[in-house]
Amino acid sequence: MTLHEHPRDRSGFRPPSAGGNRDTSTSAPEEPARDAADTSLRAVPAALFASLRLVTGFVFLWAFLDKTFGLGYSTASGRGWVDGGSPAKGFLGSVAAGPMESTFHDWAGAGWTDWLFMLGLLGVGLAVTAGVALWPAALAGTVLMAMMWLAEWPPAKHLSDGAPSMSSNPFADYHLVYALVLIVLAAVGAGATWGLGRFWTRLPLVRDHVWLH
């Protein structure tokens, strides 16, 4: 009886080589799944930035609405802008520390101060909420936050009358946080997700002037 020697099975398991080479024929079907996973991961930061943008925009819009109509939160009912109240007078008039204390007192109650303050809140709030003109909004919002930071003057340990300022940090406070958030939102183009950013950047005027993005 003749014994037939079967040829060695060349399609069986092979240990990986030292160079880490692998059979590309078995990895090809995994590529579409990997691409889909990468796309999903990239969508997560976009959604997070969009959520941050909407919340930040609402902060500015709500401040405008409350000060305009006296909704009973930071502005008492009947003391809104439409009722003849001054949106900036209470804040600037209560400044009690810092190098611009007397200057802010002089500005308190002035018509131009109220208009600039309220237009700043409205403009930044609408732009950030809609996801358009994020760089101009970041610039305007940063200037507004910087002025409010100077008015509160966190570095002071004591007020001008000697009372404790109750400042919790000599530098970083929520005004700086808001300013940084506005800059980051503009830098990452957060208006493209859940906003009108894509439409905005296609407008001829905006397309030709990057600073309007």
Side-chain angles (χ1 to χ4, degrees), residues 95-97 101 158-163:
V95 174
E101 179 180 353
H158 297 88
L159 303 179
S160 55
D161 61 0

Side-chain angles (χ1 to χ4, degrees), residues 56-174:
T56 304
F58 182 71
V59 169
F60 285 86
L61 279 181
W62 178 258
F64 171 81
L65 294 173
D66 184 56
K67 293 180 181 300
T68 299
F69 301 106
L71 301 179
Y73 287 84
S74 63
T75 305
S77 178
R79 301 188 62 180
W81 199 18
V82 296
D83 301 310
S86 172
K89 183 177 181 178
F91 178 72
L92 294 179
S94 62
V95 174
M100 295 187 64
E101 179 180 353
S102 60
T103 301
F104 285 135
H105 288 173
D106 293 338
W107 292 355
W112 66 268
T113 305
D114 291 334
W115 275 98
L116 284 179
F117 180 54
M118 295 300 281
L119 288 177
L121 291 177
L122 178 62
V124 173
L126 288 177
V128 174
T129 301
V132 301
L134 292 183
W135 277 118
L139 175 60
T142 297
V143 171
L144 181 60
M145 292 297 102
M147 297 302 292
M148 296 179 73
W149 186 91
L150 286 172
E152 293 199 0
W153 196 244
K157 292 183 178 180
H158 297 88
L159 303 179
S160 55
D161 61 0
S165 67
M166 306 303 292
S167 175
S168 60
N169 190 294
F171 176 73
D173 73 343
Y174 66 97

Side-chain angles (χ1 to χ4, degrees), residues 32-48:
R34 184 180 296 110
D35 292 341
D38 292 343
T39 301
S40 299
L41 289 175
R42 286 193 298 268
V44 172
L48 290 177

